[in-house]
């Protein structure tokens, strides 16, 4: 038992300091506001946490009311989703239940873990709006990052409305000599941007006996997009009392404890020569940024429509450029207005497209083999944002290739079902009310889609940098390789949904930066990945600042 705890109130961080050999996150006198949730389903609830120093976990504590009867099973999970320790326990008197392991479990500094227990009949304790990455709970070397849960028997990873489920740990930092140490996980630093919109595509449902928008807890989608935006909303089960997705603050309060923040203003190299900290200047590590994408420096551009309004295979009318001729090539143009492509084998290169509002930079309409090469797409200074940079309107275009291009100031960068997206810089996403923010997104297709060596940064806590969704069909045959990614609700949605089991989802050798949010995305680096799908692969993915592995979702 921990004695002599001092609680310091703060709008963002609760700090407790223990005067005992072991450290926990909550005082034994702490009592949840909601002692018994009305949910009666079997569910596993827990706390995602990390420690700033190596040591050992000697036990897990959790608060249980008289209605939360056992038997219970407690688990300690590693960041790869594996169980590090488990133990069964009966129900004692209501209040804090303490389970001590038969042997201490070594914990590494900087790694994320989940401490959890199974409530076989629901009735768990919870407080909403009390725990999140932007408002963590810090006690000595321990930082609680989020309350998490799972209905499926996997490691708890879903969140609801910044809820805490009062699952605590008993940590012994004095045993650091017996634990393996590693560098801390990456954290936000210079240049980070606050979230401005709620992550409506994130899997943010609460355990509840009466769900709405019912769907599997693995990230199924429901097609509920705004009328002006073809993108569909992805939500999962919600409690009857709180059917809406959680809202993020207009400004993000970053953790202030030294246990959970690290500088990210400089890049370096790991012991094996891997360049680290590339998000600050991506081109310094060979990744795309404004210096090596878009219209090449020194290119002279002819203005459309100011200088010319028609050419072979195309014409400008009614405020947009209409390309109707097969094998048309446009090179060296500054286009003001959206571009509609309804012919095959069209190439747009070394050109800029400036358009804003509820429109598309390039709308692909039943057209195959479109190629965009060194193209810059952005809204004018008079517009707040552009809806989508490049969009396959009907979802039936094949062979689209987008390379060496820069897309910014949009809600969604690229929305296609198949093709190649390579060496592009997609950044500065902007949200209007009702927008879903995606760097690159697919809404359900089995065409081969290759997303390789791009820099995709979403500074808003909404949706994703890359999102594979089953809005209209199953996701399959996707290669996401060697990208520099960050931001969004989750940085990456990996395709699981209601239309079928994903297959051929290969997510390899990507870098996840925490320069925008402490967990990569507002809720975490990735979600909705099916480990059991045929040909699905998660390997070689690392944190940009440390080079440490990003665990399989």
């Amino acid at each position: 038992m921990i004695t002599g705890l001092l609680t310091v109130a703060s709008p963002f961080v609760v700090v407790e300091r223990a005067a005992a050999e072991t450290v926990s996150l909550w005082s034994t006198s702490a009592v949840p506001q909601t002692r018994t949730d009305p949910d009666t389903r079997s569910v596993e609830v827990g706390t995602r946490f990390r420690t700033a120093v190596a040591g050992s976990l000697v036990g897990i504590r959790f608060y249980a009311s008289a209605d939360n009867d056992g038997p219970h099973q407690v688990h300690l999970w590693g960041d790869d989703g594996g169980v590090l320790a488990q133990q069964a326990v009966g129900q004692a008197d209501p209040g804090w239940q303490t389970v001590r392991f038969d042997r201490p479990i070594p914990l590494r500094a900087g790694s994320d873990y989940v401490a959890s227990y199974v409530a076989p009949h629901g009735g768990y304790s919870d407080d909403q709006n009390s725990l999140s990455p932007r408002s963590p709970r810090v006690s000595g070397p321990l930082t609680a990052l989020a309350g998490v849960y799972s209905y499926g028997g996997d490691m708890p990873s879903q969140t609801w409305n910044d809820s805490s489920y009062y699952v605590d740990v008993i940590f012994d930092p004095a045993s650091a000599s017996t634990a393996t140490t590693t560098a801390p996980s990456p954290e936000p630093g210079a240049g980070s941007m606050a979230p401005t919109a709620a992550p409506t595509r994130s899997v943010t449902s609460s355990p509840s006996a009466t769900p709405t928008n019912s769907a599997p807890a693995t990230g199924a989608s429901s097609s509920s997009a705004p009328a002006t935006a073809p993108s569909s909303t992805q939500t999962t089960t919600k409690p009857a009392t709180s059917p809406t997705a959680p809202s993020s603050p207009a400004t993000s309060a970053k953790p202030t404890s030294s246990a959970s923040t690290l500088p990210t203003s400089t890049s370096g190299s790991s012991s094996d020569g891997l360049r680290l900290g590339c998000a600050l200047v991506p081109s310094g590590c060979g990744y795309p940024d404004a210096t090596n994408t878009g219209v090449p420096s020194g290119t002279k551009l002819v203005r459309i429509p100011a200088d010319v309004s028609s050419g072979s295979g195309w014409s400008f009318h009614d405020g947009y450029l209409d390309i109707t001729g097969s094998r048309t090539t446009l090179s060296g143009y500054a286009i003001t207005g959206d571009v509609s492509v309804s012919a095959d084998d069209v190439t747009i290169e070394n050109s800029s497209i400036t358009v804003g509002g509820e429109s598309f930079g390039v709308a692909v309409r039943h057209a195959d083999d479109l190629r965009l090469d060194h193209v810059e797409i952005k809204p004018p200074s008079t517009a707040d944002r552009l809806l989508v940079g490049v969009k396959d309107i009907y979802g039936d275009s094949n062979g689209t290739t987008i390379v060496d291009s820069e897309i910014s100031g949009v809600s969604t960068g690229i929305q296609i079902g198949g093709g190649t997206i390579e060496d592009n810089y997609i950044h500065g996403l902007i949200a209007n009310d009702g927008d879903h923010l995606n760097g690159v997104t697919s809404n359900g297709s089995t065409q081969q889609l290759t997303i390789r060596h791009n820099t995709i940064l979403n500074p808003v806590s909404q949706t994703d940098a890359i999102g594979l969704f089953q809005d209209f069909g199953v996701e399959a045959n996707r290669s996401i390789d060697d990208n520099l990614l960050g931001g969004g609700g989750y940085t990456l949605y990996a395709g699981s949904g209601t239309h079928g089991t994903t297959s051929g989802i290969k997510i390899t050798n990507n870098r996840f930066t925490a320069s925008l949010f402490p967990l990569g995305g507002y809720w975490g680096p990735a979600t909705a990945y099916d480990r059991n799908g045929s040909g699905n692969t998660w390997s070689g993915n690392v944190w940009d600042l440390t080079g440490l592995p990003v665990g399989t979702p």
Side-chain angles (χ1 to χ4, degrees), residues 396-463:
D396 60 357
S397 297
N398 299 295
T400 300
T401 299
I402 306 168
V403 296
D404 296 309
S405 295
E406 180 180 4
I407 301 174
S408 63
V410 297
S411 292
T412 293
I414 299 172
Q415 185 175 359
I416 62 176
T420 299
I421 302 168
E422 186 170 3
D423 290 321
N424 302 286
Y425 182 38
I426 303 171
H427 64 108
L429 274 60
I430 299 174
N432 278 359
D433 290 344
D435 284 348
H436 308 293
L437 272 70
N438 318 98
V440 173
T441 189
S442 167
N443 301 108
S445 174
T446 59
Q447 294 184 47
Q448 178 62 45
L449 176 62
T450 299
I451 305 171
R452 181 189 301 118
H453 200 254
N454 302 277
T455 299
I456 308 175
L457 304 175
N458 176 3
V460 184
S461 64
Q462 225 275 32
T463 325

Side-chain angles (χ1 to χ4, degrees), residues 79 510-512 525-526 538 540-544 548-553:
D79 60 3
N510 299 284
R511 289 173 175 261
F512 289 79
W538 179 282
N541 302 296
V542 300
W543 290 107
D544 177 49
L548 295 176
V550 176
T552 307

Side-chain angles (χ1 to χ4, degrees), residues 483-551:
N483 299 281
L484 176 59
L485 307 172
Y490 283 95
T491 300
L492 172 63
Y493 282 85
S496 292
T498 58
H499 284 276
T501 302
T502 60
S503 61
I505 307 295
K506 301 182 185 301
I507 303 170
T508 56
N509 307 314
N510 299 284
R511 289 173 175 261
F512 289 79
T513 176
S515 62
L516 299 170
F517 299 105
L519 300 177
Y522 180 83
W523 301 105
T527 189
Y529 174 76
D530 188 344
R531 303 183 185 202
N532 299 316
S534 176
N536 290 354
T537 302
W538 179 282
S539 68
N541 302 296
V542 300
W543 290 107
D544 177 49
L545 182 62
T546 66
L548 295 176
V550 176

Side-chain angles (χ1 to χ4, degrees), residues 192-331:
S192 62
M193 186 175 295
T196 59
T200 59
R201 273 196 188 268
S202 59
V203 183
T204 53
S205 54
S206 170
S208 168
T210 312
T212 63
N213 295 333
S214 297
T218 54
S221 64
S222 60
S223 298
S224 56
T228 57
S231 301
S232 297
T233 305
Q234 175 162 325
T235 55
T236 55
T237 55
K238 303 290 192 297
T241 56
S242 304
T244 58
S247 296
S248 304
T251 58
S252 174
K254 298 295 190 295
T256 57
S257 167
S258 60
S260 57
T261 57
L262 292 171
T264 61
S265 58
T266 60
S267 63
S269 299
S270 65
S271 59
D272 59 2
L274 177 70
R275 287 295 302 272
L276 302 175
C278 295
L280 186 64
V281 183
S283 59
C285 297
Y287 283 97
D289 61 19
T291 68
N292 53 22
T293 59
V295 181
S297 178
T299 303
K300 294 183 179 180
L301 301 179
V302 176
R303 298 173 298 169
I304 297 176
D307 299 326
V308 61
S309 59
S310 64
S312 177
W314 67 273
S315 63
F316 190 94
H317 57 85
D318 302 320
Y320 72 96
L321 193 154
D322 192 12
I323 303 176
T324 57
S326 298
R327 294 180 294 280
T328 296
T329 296
L330 278 79
S331 181

